[in-house]
Amino acid sequence: MPRTRQTAAFALITVAALSLTACGSGDPAAAPAGAGAAVKGRTPTTDVVSSVERDEDASRLLPEKVRASGTLSLASSVGAPPGAFYEEDGRTLAGADIDFADAVARKLGLKLKREVASFEAILPALGSGKYDVGTGNFGVTEERRGTIDFVTYINDGQGFAVRDDSDLKKVTDLTQLCGLTVGTGAGTTFEATLEENRHRCADEGRKPYEVKTYADQAAVWISLQQGRSEVLMSTINGLRYAVTQQEGLRFLNEFKRLDVGFAFRKGTPLAPAFQAAVNALKADGTYDRILKKWGTSESAIRTSQISPPEIK
């Protein structure tokens, strides 16, 4: 997300150094499956992109104008590992979203003009034509499918984390959060899910939970550590990795799975080419190498899809 270098460095210290991200078993203390490259306190640095070669079949699916220009404008939301984050210098971007976008661009023979933008600003900006494509762990929902096209590349979703002193063991229904303060990211599916269901506590004669939103992912974690939030709702992959890097926190459980994809304006002609590029990355092994690098092998999809129905 847009920030000064100082803020970026602060976010890295509080999130990346403390909360790199992985996807593992239901036991947060267990080592994540396929997380060999993800080491506590250390950013994975394996180069999994530079060897990717252009795929002529995928490239031919691009609109002629795009092939002629050889470039696309990409908006990246930058938050926390494993999706997209700043390295220690406060300028260099890293993460699975960065690797996937760069790898797809190489498959298509394109150069990306990447611009960092806030999560909540990217989808409207795609509709206005400001950007060609966006990344930011955008979950495919029915509401978003009304105005946005997606090309899927991983499966992530919603989950919860708490401090070790919390009495919560598992959240299978949002009414279990009644009376608590829940921290989450602004403009996310998590915020939407929480707000849509707040009334259920009052419907049962119980105190509604309070939703605290933050534009900066580092602030979400700080709110939990410092007790301003009692439970945190975020991505499954991010939560699982983060709790292995921060003392005194634990991952509760997966709440809902969602397909995640590159985002485009509705009716984009770019979707078939991106879909073919993702599937070409799966075929040549690059796809699995990116997931392994970031410890998210459990988020693999069998094949890329264009705007599939929301997972219920």
Side-chain angles (χ1 to χ4, degrees), residues 107-160:
K107 277 293 180 191
L108 296 176
L110 298 175
K111 291 185 178 180
L112 296 176
K113 296 186 292 184
R114 180 180 276 114
E115 181 177 323
V116 174
S118 66
F119 179 93
E120 60 270 28
I122 292 177
L123 298 187
L126 292 171
S128 70
K130 183 176 181 179
Y131 306 112
D132 296 313
V133 57
T135 59
N137 205 65
F138 289 113
V140 181
T141 66
E142 291 306 316
E143 180 180 3
R144 286 175 175 168
R145 289 201 320 147
T147 57
I148 296 294
D149 279 343
F150 294 93
V151 172
T152 61
Y153 59 94
I154 61 168
N155 176 274
D156 196 351
Q158 304 174 341
F160 295 94

Side-chain angles (χ1 to χ4, degrees), residues 3-6 8-9 12 86-92:
R3 64 185 74 182
T4 63
R5 291 182 183 177
Q6 181 179 9
L12 180 70
Y86 286 100
E87 294 187 357
E88 289 186 16
D89 60 11
R91 297 183 301 273
T92 305

